[in-house]
Amino acid sequence: MDLFVQNAWHPDHGQVDLEIEGGVIRAMGRHLVASLDVQVLDARGMAIIPGLVNAHTHAAMTLFRGFGDDMPLMQWLETRIWPAEAKLTEEDVYWGTRLACLEMIRSGAINFQDMYWHYHGVARAVEDSGLRAGVGAIFIDVAGKEQAEQFKQQAETLWEETSRYSDRVRYTLTPHAIYTVSPETLRWVAEFSEKHNVPVHIHLSETQHEVDTCLQQHGCRPTQHLANQGLLTERTFLAHAVHVDDAELDMIAKAGATLVTNPVSNMKLAVGGVFPLARAAQRDIPIALGTDGAASNNALDLFQDMKTFALIQKHADVDPTAAPAKLVWEIASGARAPIFGESGRIEVGQAADFLLIHRENPEMTPEHCFTSNLAYAATGHMVDTVVVDGRILMRGRHIEGEQEVRREAALRARALCEAL
Ligand SMILES: [Zn+2]
């Protein structure tokens, strides 16, 4: 036994103790006995719940949080984000990702899906923070064939090099979008994904402009274009998917691909649409929730985004029964998206990935419906303890090395943005 959790309150089973060994919950029940010398986590007064999955983000963009808000999209990208990103080093990305990991741990995320530059900067940060992540180096070939070859070579190399990390780091292919990656390269990505059984993480149909351009250039809508390149499979997850019609949703359902909604980022960047939750859920399409990068959110707190997600769905559908708390909670905890490997359940045989939250918080009182409290009243600040792979990452809201991460990330962010 590596860790013993005592006196936790399980929403389905009441008071329980848990035995954890090798990163897995080996036993759960009343009155279990801790073995000698084992680390004991006393969870009296706290609920044990699954951790959350941040299924689409660009973690190191914490460095650009608040750097140019409320600007038109292209002006923001051209005068702020792209010039700052051009100066990024692997060390910057490492510290920016460490800062994101701090924030995600403090708000209950245990697993995130990243798409960014400087792969090893992100992977090392994941390794050092203790979280789980799908890590991918952005693929773009707008500059032509030479650039495409460079990225293909890089993918081969990174795929090999990922073996230097623990299995908490999962190599993921991350072609940026259909408008920044050529059909030929998308086909190469599809083949690589199939050959090595690697997930593919891509932005899709975030704006109407993307749909219109695709129709003009390729004569079909974005989902069909992706399918034409062999990229619509059960290994693919699509971030945003705001502007998708019924025929596209049918294709996504048939292919077994996963949709990731990013409601806060969509509203902040004013994409002019709402994720089609009801139409996707009707078709049993796997669904997950993401914050997107901190530059377009500007937080990485999935509890906040869960509430926003539920509210925008109800508001848009003019239907208070849309996006009920139970569904929203299942989506946020990964239970509706098997591709990310989180069950969203605390049971024997599952990975020891969980949160402890205080039940006596005012926002959690009274307990008419615990799940409603989680979806509509809780914030990330209620998370007291985070355990991933059987290891305590935060206890009593304390994370080891937190001061250093904050200081280093703030210094680097200032240096990157100062001269722009
Ligand atoms: Zn994004």
Side-chain angles (χ1 to χ4, degrees):
M1 204 189 301
D2 304 323
L3 179 65
F4 186 79
V5 183
Q6 63 184 18
N7 303 316
W9 180 79
H10 188 298
D12 301 328
H13 305 301
Q15 206 71 22
V16 292
D17 305 320
L18 297 95
E19 291 178 13
I20 289 152
E21 196 175 307
V24 173
I25 301 172
R26 301 290 180 188
M28 183 171 75
R30 278 167 212 259
H31 313 304
L32 300 181
V33 180
S35 56
L36 289 174
D37 303 334
V38 73
Q39 187 179 14
V40 175
L41 196 53
D42 189 3
R44 200 177 302 268
M46 291 194 272
I48 184 166
I49 59 172
L52 305 177
V53 177
N54 190 351
H56 174 66
T57 191
H58 313 279
M61 291 190 87
T62 49
L63 296 170
F64 309 129
R65 189 196 326 263
F67 181 57
D69 290 321
D70 315 321
M71 291 169 75
L73 182 65
M74 285 321 286
Q75 192 188 341
W76 173 62
L77 289 173
E78 284 169 3
T79 66
R80 299 293 173 98
I81 298 301
W82 291 340
E85 282 188 334
K87 298 200 288 177
L88 278 175
T89 64
E90 185 180 312
E91 279 310 288
D92 293 330
V93 169
Y94 171 81
W95 289 104
T97 307
R98 285 293 305 271
L99 178 63
C101 291
L102 263 191
E103 190 181 353
M104 287 192 273
I105 292 168
R106 291 176 69 82
S107 53
I110 50 159
N111 177 319
F112 68 101
Q113 301 299 316
D114 200 60
M115 178 195 284
Y116 211 52
W117 310 104
H118 298 289
Y119 181 87
H120 289 298
V122 181
R124 282 195 291 120
V126 171
E127 198 73 336
D128 292 349
S129 72
L131 288 173
R132 298 183 193 274
V135 183
I138 294 184
F139 243 85
I140 283 183
D141 69 352
V142 280
K145 283 210 158 37
E146 205 175 307
Q147 192 182 29
E149 287 313 312
Q150 213 180 310
F151 278 111
K152 289 181 200 172
Q153 189 52 53
Q154 187 190 50
E156 300 274 8
T157 308
L158 295 178
W159 161 245
E160 300 274 328
E161 289 176 350
T162 300
S163 62
R164 70 170 77 153
Y165 303 110
S166 74
D167 57 11
R168 286 186 291 99
V169 176
R170 188 181 189 193
Y171 179 71
T172 303
L173 288 155
T174 50
H176 173 261
I178 58 163
Y179 55 90
T180 44
V181 185
S182 66
E184 298 73 40
T185 301
L186 289 175
R187 278 200 291 280
W188 184 89
V189 170
E191 281 162 27
F192 190 96
S193 161
E194 187 175 7
K195 184 171 160 202
H196 298 293
N197 192 25
V198 176
V200 179
H201 179 183
I202 187 168
H203 294 107
L204 195 88
S205 295
E206 183 173 3
T207 63
Q208 186 60 43
H209 177 72
E210 177 182 340
V211 177
D212 294 342
T213 308
C214 187
L215 281 165
Q216 249 168 37
Q217 288 181 352
H218 306 293
C220 61
R221 295 178 66 88
T223 306
Q224 181 68 57
H225 179 65
L226 209 58
N228 291 348
Q229 319 318 322
L231 254 187
L232 196 66
T233 76
E234 72 284 356
R235 291 180 304 279
T236 311
F237 55 105
L238 311 168
H240 300 294
V242 172
H243 300 274
V244 286
D245 67 16
D246 284 349
E248 288 179 288
L249 288 171
D250 288 342
M251 292 177 68
I252 290 164
K254 194 160 168 232
T258 298
L259 297 180
V260 180
T261 180
N262 304 272
V264 174
S265 170
N266 290 158
M267 287 196 280
K268 184 158 185 269
L269 296 179
V271 302
V274 175
F275 176 76
L277 174 66
R279 289 187 288 131
Q282 261 165 26
R283 291 167 170 82
D284 282 329
I285 294 173
I287 303 168
L289 178 66
T291 56
D292 211 348
S296 64
N297 186 302
N298 294 3
L300 302 175
D301 179 350
L302 282 167
F303 277 95
Q304 291 186 33
D305 287 22
M306 218 187 311
K307 177 171 182 173
T308 306
F309 173 40
L311 298 187
I312 187 71
Q313 293 294 329
K314 293 173 196 299
H315 186 65
D317 288 358
V318 198
D319 179 2
T321 72
K326 182 170 178 289
L327 175 62
V328 168
W329 174 254
E330 286 173 358
I331 288 172
S333 58
R336 291 273 178 154
I339 190 172
F340 304 120
E342 302 293 344
S343 67
R345 290 182 303 148
I346 308 290
E347 301 293 348
V348 172
Q350 302 289 339
D353 295 356
F354 57 83
L355 318 177
L356 297 176
I357 64 166
H358 286 287
R359 291 172 75 194
E360 72 265 27
N361 269 306
E363 294 89 336
M364 298 302 288
T365 310
E367 251 170 27
H368 294 308
C369 179
F370 184 71
T371 309
S372 283
N373 288 351
L374 290 176
Y376 299 128
T379 69
H381 290 280
M382 282 170 206
V383 179
D384 177 273
T385 299
V386 176
V387 172
V388 174
D389 204 17
R391 207 179 123 213
I392 300 171
L393 306 188
M394 177 170 81
R395 186 173 187 181
R397 292 198 67 69
H398 172 75
I399 301 173
E400 219 172 290
E402 185 164 351
Q403 301 294 350
E404 186 198 3
V405 173
R406 281 218 305 264
R407 193 175 50 238
E408 190 68 31
L411 280 173
R412 286 172 181 274
R414 202 180 313 146
L416 283 165
C417 300
E418 214 164 38
L420 299 172

